[in-house]
Amino acid sequence: MNVKPLPFRPPPARDELLSSWIGRLAKANHCSVEELCGYLGLGQGRVPERINDPGEMDWARLCSAVQRTRNEIAAMTLPDTVHHAVRYVSRHDFQYCPGCTEQTPGLALRHWRFAWSMTCETCGQSLAAKHPAEAVSDRLLARAARGAQVWETAVASNDLRRLRRMDLTLSIVSILGVGNSASVFSMNELERLMALAAVGVGMTRPLLGAAIMLRGNGQVVRELRRVFPQHRRVIERVRGLSRDLDQQLTGLRETGHPTGQETHGMSRPNASESALRAARQAISELGHDANRQALLARADAIWTRSSGVKS
């Protein structure tokens, strides 16, 4: 069925979401999105966003009304992630580009929905969260940027091993109560950056971070064993390192002096001593009230630089 083309048809921006463009078309033609969807044959007043959503659309009616080809319209939808190892596309607009949206109100681009996107590909400006943090450290931003890069590379190459490890990292973060698998799409800037930083740490030196967070928390250890029985050896290794940290801190409290100092004839401290020193230095730099994930990121960086221990 052919219909008359819409009177006003502002062209879509490069990489614009179909839902964003339909919203701007509705505004330009002085009608609601629901009314326009009905006219376009989209049904139920809902604009499809994923590439596998438009199956029931009246393509002939839609293409005729907006004067665009089927391929052009399909290119404005999001990729299908149903069969991917991890979810990397958000179902909602959790961030935006201040510059682009000021120039074009109501605009939403496809790449803004990706878990790893931190910069607008159109203007190069940093993307802004719906709920920005009051202050974000440069270290956390650097950690988050590395996590985002790892995520994008793993998805682009379909590296199943890395994708599974990322999924495992986010699952552990969820169990530890410092976030969840959806935190990378959080409208809260700090929560999102923490999740991306955790992904970066999980890809490089995860054992120290897990040991610091598990220290003295037997309940979480039991929960990890239950949820991840296939990773029992790694969990026990982390638990052992966590116990070493507990012993070192106990000695520190009792003597009032740093423990684990090098003795005559020793060239370098063992792993637990290095971990303790890294943790203490991170606390000294960031303060006792610092967020756990920020402490983890800093301690991990210090430990990696000073000891060269590989996870």
Side-chain angles (χ1 to χ4, degrees):
M1 178 186 298
N2 291 327
V3 296
K4 291 183 179 180
L6 293 174
F8 303 100
R9 301 186 303 276
R14 185 179 69 86
D15 199 40
E16 184 171 9
L17 266 173
L18 180 59
S19 57
S20 169
W21 187 49
I22 295 296
R24 294 198 300 114
L25 285 175
K27 185 176 181 180
N29 288 277
H30 308 286
C31 64
S32 69
V33 172
E34 290 75 14
E35 290 172 333
L36 182 57
C37 284
Y39 181 75
L40 298 177
L42 296 178
Q44 299 181 355
R46 185 182 69 87
V47 183
E49 289 197 326
R50 292 174 298 181
I51 197 168
N52 55 327
D53 286 344
E56 300 180 359
M57 288 199 311
D58 187 337
W59 282 103
R61 184 184 185 94
L62 176 61
C63 293
S64 177
V66 301
Q67 294 292 285
R68 295 281 167 173
T69 67
R70 180 168 178 164
N71 287 339
E72 286 176 321
I73 295 172
M76 300 174 70
T77 59
L78 294 165
D80 179 13
T81 62
V82 173
H83 304 294
H84 237 280
V86 295
R87 177 179 156 219
Y88 64 89
V89 178
S90 174
R91 298 186 181 94
H92 61 274
D93 294 320
F94 65 96
Q95 59 181 352
Y96 65 99
C97 174
C100 290
T101 52
E102 181 180 3
Q103 183 176 351
T104 308
L107 180 70
L109 303 188
R110 292 172 68 256
H111 68 272
W112 296 355
R113 292 280 194 94
F114 295 159
W116 55 78
S117 291
M118 299 180 69
T119 305
C120 179
E121 296 176 5
T122 298
C123 67
Q125 189 171 342
S126 295
L127 295 177
K130 300 285 186 177
H131 304 293
E134 292 184 1
V136 177
S137 70
D138 291 339
R139 291 192 189 96
L140 179 57
L141 283 173
R143 281 280 181 181
R146 283 197 288 272
Q149 184 177 24
V150 167
W151 198 317
E152 182 177 13
T153 302
V155 170
S157 60
N158 196 26
D159 189 331
L160 296 180
R161 179 177 174 275
R162 283 201 157 195
L163 290 171
R164 284 193 293 267
R165 188 166 183 178
M166 285 161 45
D167 185 55
L168 176 63
T169 298
L170 291 174
S171 296
I172 292 176
V173 165
S174 177
I175 291 174
L176 295 174
V178 293
N180 55 63
S181 59
S183 293
V184 290
F185 307 117
S186 176
M187 294 185 185
N188 183 298
E189 181 182 17
L190 189 58
E191 182 178 353
R192 168 170 155 74
L193 292 176
M194 292 296 185
L196 287 174
V199 169
V201 172
M203 295 298 103
T204 53
R205 311 288 190 199
L207 293 186
L208 171 64
I212 292 174
M213 290 189 292
L214 292 180
R215 187 172 56 80
N217 198 334
Q219 182 178 351
V220 172
V221 173
R222 290 191 293 273
E223 183 67 8
L224 288 176
R225 287 172 178 161
R226 184 185 68 80
V227 177
F228 304 109
Q230 70 275 29
H231 298 291
R232 194 176 186 88
R233 290 181 60 186
V234 175
I235 293 171
E236 293 305 318
R237 186 177 171 192
V238 172
R239 182 167 174 257
L241 180 55
S242 178
R243 284 179 169 177
D244 287 344
L245 288 174
D246 264 338
Q247 293 173 1
Q248 297 287 355
L249 290 176
T250 299
L252 177 62
R253 286 192 294 268
E254 291 177 351
T255 64
H257 299 285
T259 61
Q261 299 292 333
E262 288 186 4
T263 57
H264 181 70
M266 293 181 63
S267 60
R268 57 183 292 178
N270 60 37
S272 62
E273 292 169 342
S274 299
L276 175 63
R277 292 178 183 179
R280 292 181 68 251
Q281 183 175 337
I283 293 173
S284 174
E285 292 180 6
L286 303 183
H288 290 277
D289 296 330
N291 184 280
R292 274 195 301 183
Q293 197 65 47
L295 287 171
L296 158 63
R298 181 55 185 152
D300 179 74
I302 296 170
W303 193 41
T304 300
R305 184 176 65 249
S306 64
S307 66
V309 177
K310 294 186 177 181
S311 301

